Amino acid sequence: MHELGITRSIVDIAERTAREHGGTRVTSVTVEIGALSGVIPDAVEFCFEACSKGTLLDGARLIVESIPGLGRCPDCGREQEIDNHSFACGDCGALGLERLQGEELRIKELEVD
Amino acid sequence: MCIDCGCAERTEQAHHHHDQNQAGRTIRVGEDLLAKNDRLAAVNRARFAEYGLLTLNLVSSPGSGKTTLLETTLRALSNELRFAVLEGDQQTANDAERIAATGVPAHQINTGAGCHLDAHMVGHGVDHFDLANLDVLLIENVGNLVCPASFDLGEDCKVAVLSITEGEDKPLKYPQMFRAAELVIINKLDLLPHLDFDLETCRDYLRQVNPQARVIELSCKSGAGMETWYNWLREQVAKKK
């Protein structure tokens, strides 16, 4: 359950950023979670209410934007959608797909009052 | 007090009474959620580099034999290399006590409910060692094949330990971890005659998940493969000098 720590980071960064901008309440926070990041969006959502209680994010909406995994074959160069269990190129079967996208774990934006 | 992590400086509540009432403003952030851990890991890495220290992050399921591997290694090599060991567990100092019994400095980190070590814990944990007089820092992570994969501690590389009692498909089930490892140790090789474990299948699964990983098969009990592991360690230390 490292999602608990990840969710605490969301709350910490959002609070800090809101304060820096003179915000008194965060109404929504948008995070980007890549399909290859090893973080389960459902688990983050599950932790969010508990982690935001008593902070500027109390009652805020959590919006999760999923980013699909994208890989490139080291042999034939084909780019393809991948998940954590894609090991071989869908075309030529080569192993060791390079990861181009999907490891993101970012707080994208906040709505503040 | 800590200048790297600011962990004793929690005074945020003190200054917070802005009255701007600009409803519904959007603030772009773009900050990585692991940024704090990554920043502290970079601080750790720079500190280890300053002393030319080889740092390994050992990861595995609980009970794969990490601590026994460390004990055996320390007894064999502590007359030629200077080691220290950070032990991570949710509870107890049992592992640090086992390591300390070999005469090597050890410090136990208890994560409580935490499922992994992070760079902050390691940064403070190594304060217990005289880094200038070490060659190798071994960090034994919390036994868990999931969460420790996401947290950089500032190590040179992750070493995943897989014992053959766990089944040959662990790399397929936990690809994130086996992909993150530079070296995979297949442990408890002495039990092979008693199990249905198929070594070649396991090697094949590892190749699928991480074709670059170096694989060493060994047994702390019989001693098989231990010299290969020791030589790998010696080579990594030599690269640091």
Side-chain angles (χ1 to χ4, degrees):
Chain A
M1 263 306 263
H2 58 302
E3 281 82 359
L4 183 59
I6 298 287
T7 311
R8 282 200 188 114
S9 295
I10 295 175
V11 174
D12 286 351
I13 295 170
E15 270 210 306
R16 195 189 68 221
T17 309
R19 289 206 165 99
E20 282 166 8
H21 289 77
T24 52
R25 197 169 75 93
V26 177
T27 53
S28 80
V29 52
T30 306
V31 295
E32 296 173 305
I33 299 183
L36 311 176
S37 68
V39 168
I40 314 293
D42 279 355
V44 173
E45 282 167 24
F46 180 79
C47 298
F48 184 71
E49 196 182 322
C51 289
S52 56
K53 198 135 262 155
T55 72
L56 297 189
L57 283 79
D58 207 333
R61 202 154 66 92
L62 175 71
I63 303 163
V64 176
E65 292 183 0
S66 301
I67 300 180
L70 186 67
R72 181 164 47 211
C73 173
D75 280 6
C76 73
R78 189 172 81 92
E79 291 187 7
Q80 52 206 290
E81 190 163 326
I82 58 170
D83 61 25
N84 259 324
H85 303 274
S86 311
F87 307 126
C89 172
D91 262 5
C92 72
L95 298 173
L97 297 174
E98 183 195 348
R99 293 181 163 199
L100 303 175
Q101 174 192 292
E103 294 188 312
E104 297 80 1
L105 208 49
R106 259 195 317 251
I107 174 159
K108 185 182 173 189
E109 59 188 27
L110 309 174
E111 292 279 340
V112 300
D113 282 347
Chain B
M1 289 302 140
C2 172
I3 55 160
D4 294 324
C5 59
C7 61
E9 298 166 19
R10 288 204 158 262
T11 54
E12 292 155 50
Q13 301 93 324
H15 43 82
H16 169 52
H17 29 74
H18 302 273
D19 276 327
Q20 294 103 317
N21 209 356
Q22 302 149 291
R25 279 180 303 144
T26 300
I27 305 171
R28 303 284 302 175
V29 187
E31 186 168 334
D32 199 297
L33 288 171
L34 288 172
K36 185 177 177 194
N37 185 74
D38 290 348
R39 185 171 55 76
L40 295 174
V43 170
N44 292 347
R45 188 166 281 118
R47 196 168 160 200
F48 303 151
E50 190 183 324
Y51 297 107
L53 198 57
L54 173 70
T55 307
L56 303 180
N57 178 3
L58 282 98
V59 292
S60 79
S61 315
S64 68
K66 290 189 298 301
T67 312
T68 303
L69 175 67
L70 293 186
E71 286 175 302
T72 312
T73 304
L74 299 173
R75 292 209 159 91
L77 297 186
S78 55
N79 56 351
E80 69 176 277
L81 295 172
R82 298 165 300 173
F83 290 93
V85 179
L86 270 184
E87 281 290 340
D89 281 299
Q90 288 200 323
Q91 293 296 334
T92 85
N94 294 356
D95 285 358
E97 286 163 13
R98 282 171 60 185
I99 298 298
T102 69
V104 165
H107 177 70
Q108 181 80 45
I109 300 172
N110 281 138
T111 58
C115 49
H116 58 270
L117 292 177
D118 63 32
H120 182 225
M121 299 171 189
V122 167
H124 285 296
V126 296
D127 287 339
H128 295 267
F129 303 131
D130 175 14
L131 299 182
N133 285 305
L134 290 183
D135 299 306
V136 186
L137 172 66
L138 299 166
I139 305 171
E140 182 179 338
N141 217 314
V142 178
N144 175 346
L145 279 177
V146 185
C147 310
S150 301
F151 291 83
D152 183 7
L153 306 179
E155 72 271 8
D156 290 295
C157 71
K158 289 187 175 68
V159 176
V161 181
L162 164 62
S163 65
I164 66 171
T165 51
E166 299 169 46
E168 53 276 271
D169 58 353
K170 275 287 186 298
L172 295 186
K173 287 177 170 166
Y174 300 93
Q176 196 101 357
M177 183 61 89
F178 287 96
R179 154 192 285 283
E182 221 166 276
L183 171 69
V184 177
I185 290 179
I186 300 182
N187 193 20
K188 305 190 187 178
L189 211 57
D190 53 292
L191 294 176
L192 206 49
H194 311 286
L195 302 170
D196 295 327
F197 187 91
D198 184 46
L199 212 44
E200 194 40 56
T201 305
C202 185
R203 290 183 195 128
D204 182 54
Y205 290 156
L206 275 171
R207 237 185 333 264
Q208 289 183 40
V209 174
N210 184 351
Q212 272 88 40
R214 170 86 195 270
V215 180
I216 297 177
E217 293 148 15
L218 56 79
S219 162
C220 298
K221 275 253 154 54
S222 73
M226 292 304 283
E227 203 53 42
T228 312
W229 152 244
Y230 297 154
N231 284 335
W232 182 87
L233 258 182
R234 292 179 182 114
E235 282 164 25
Q236 305 306 310
V237 171
K239 282 188 205 164
K240 290 277 162 188
K241 299 297 168 192

